[in-house]
Amino acid sequence: MDIFDTFLNADVMRRTFPMLLQGLWITLQLGAASIVAGLVLGLGLAMARLYGPAPVRFVTRLYIDIFRSIPLLVLLIIVYYALPFVGLRLSPFLSAMSALTLVSGAYTAEIFRAGIEAIPKGQFEASAALGLNGRQTMADVILPQAVRIVIPPLTNNSINVVKDTALASVVAMPDLLKQATQAQALAANPTPLIVAAAIYIAFLWPLVALVSRMERRFSARGR
C-alpha cells in the first residue's frame, strides 16, 4: 500500500478537515481560557505565598506543591468522573478548564514568585523612601519589572497549557485530538491524526521560536 494513501490520503484529508478545524477552534478557546485563569490564580498564589500571614503561606505552598506533583490526566479524571458523586457535575469544557487552571496556576505562581524575588531589595527601599505604600510599590514598581523577567517562562508555560488541552479528549471534549480520533475511526485511515499533529506543530512552533528569541534577548540584556 502506498504510504501517502495511508498517512496523507488527500480524499480523507478533504473530507475530515472541517472536523479538525472545529476541534482546533475548541482547543484554542480552552487553551486561552485556561491560560488567563491560570495567570490570575498564579499571581494571587504568588502574592499570598510571599506576603500573606504564616498560615496562608503554608497553605499556599502546600497547594503549589500538590498541584505541581499530580499528573494532569489524573486530576482531569477526578474532576470529571469523581465530583459527580458529591453532586458537582461539570461540563467537559469546564472540567478540562478547571483541571488545566489548577495545575497551570501552581506553575505560574512559582514563575511570578521567582520574578518578584529577582527584583533588587533596593527597589523596595527606594519606593518606601518616596512614600509609596505596599500596594503602590507592588503595582507601580515591582510587578512591572517582574513581568518583564517572567515573560519567557510564562509564554513557555502557556505553550504547555495548549499542548495539555489534548488530554481533554478523555472526557469527551470535542477538541482537536478528539475530532481527529473520531475522523480516523470514521475514515478507517490515520490521515486525520497526521493532519492534527501538523496543525499542532504549525500553531505552536512559532510560539516556541518566539520563546527562544525572547530568552536570548533577555540574556543579552542581562550581560
Side-chain angles (χ1 to χ4, degrees):
M1 182 180 292
D2 189 346
I3 189 171
F4 286 99
D5 286 338
T6 302
F7 294 105
L8 294 172
N9 187 293
D11 181 60
V12 173
M13 194 181 304
R14 177 183 56 79
R15 288 187 285 112
T16 60
F17 195 67
M19 291 178 61
L20 300 183
L21 288 181
Q22 293 175 4
L24 175 62
W25 173 238
I26 294 176
T27 291
L28 295 179
Q29 288 180 306
L30 177 60
S34 302
I35 289 169
V36 172
L39 286 172
V40 175
L41 175 61
L43 180 57
L45 291 171
M47 300 301 292
R49 180 170 180 180
L50 288 172
Y51 305 111
V56 173
R57 293 199 303 271
F58 173 78
V59 172
T60 303
R61 182 172 182 177
L62 186 64
Y63 170 92
I64 292 172
D65 290 344
I66 289 175
F67 282 94
R68 291 176 69 196
S69 302
I70 187 170
L72 177 59
L73 181 58
V74 174
L75 181 61
L76 181 61
I77 291 175
I78 290 174
V79 171
Y80 187 73
Y81 291 105
L83 289 185
F85 286 92
V86 294
L88 183 58
R89 185 179 299 275
L90 301 179
S91 67
F93 186 93
L94 286 179
S95 297
M97 179 183 168
S98 298
L100 287 166
T101 298
L102 291 172
V103 173
S104 174
Y107 283 97
T108 302
E110 287 299 275
I111 294 172
F112 274 122
R113 181 181 65 84
I116 293 172
E117 290 183 336
I119 304 300
K121 299 298 183 183
Q123 296 289 324
F124 292 88
E125 297 169 357
S127 299
L130 292 173
L132 299 179
N133 58 35
R135 184 189 62 79
Q136 291 171 326
T137 297
M138 187 58 59
D140 299 333
V141 179
I142 304 303
L143 281 181
Q145 298 180 71
V147 166
R148 288 195 292 270
I149 295 173
V150 303
I151 284 177
L154 282 180
T155 305
N156 191 59
N157 186 60
S158 298
I159 293 172
N160 289 331
V161 171
V162 175
K163 290 192 295 184
D164 287 342
T165 59
L167 295 174
S169 61
V170 302
V171 294
M173 181 75 181
D175 67 321
L176 177 56
L177 179 59
K178 185 67 173 180
Q179 295 285 53
T181 303
Q182 291 180 340
Q184 178 267 333
L186 292 172
N189 185 283
T191 295
L193 296 175
I194 304 301
V195 175
I199 292 174
Y200 276 116
I201 293 172
F203 178 70
L204 294 175
W205 194 349
L207 296 179
V208 172
L210 177 62
V211 171
S212 299
R213 183 176 180 181
M214 287 191 298
E215 288 176 342
R216 290 194 299 269
R217 179 176 298 179
F218 278 90
S219 297
R221 287 180 181 178
R223 293 174 184 172

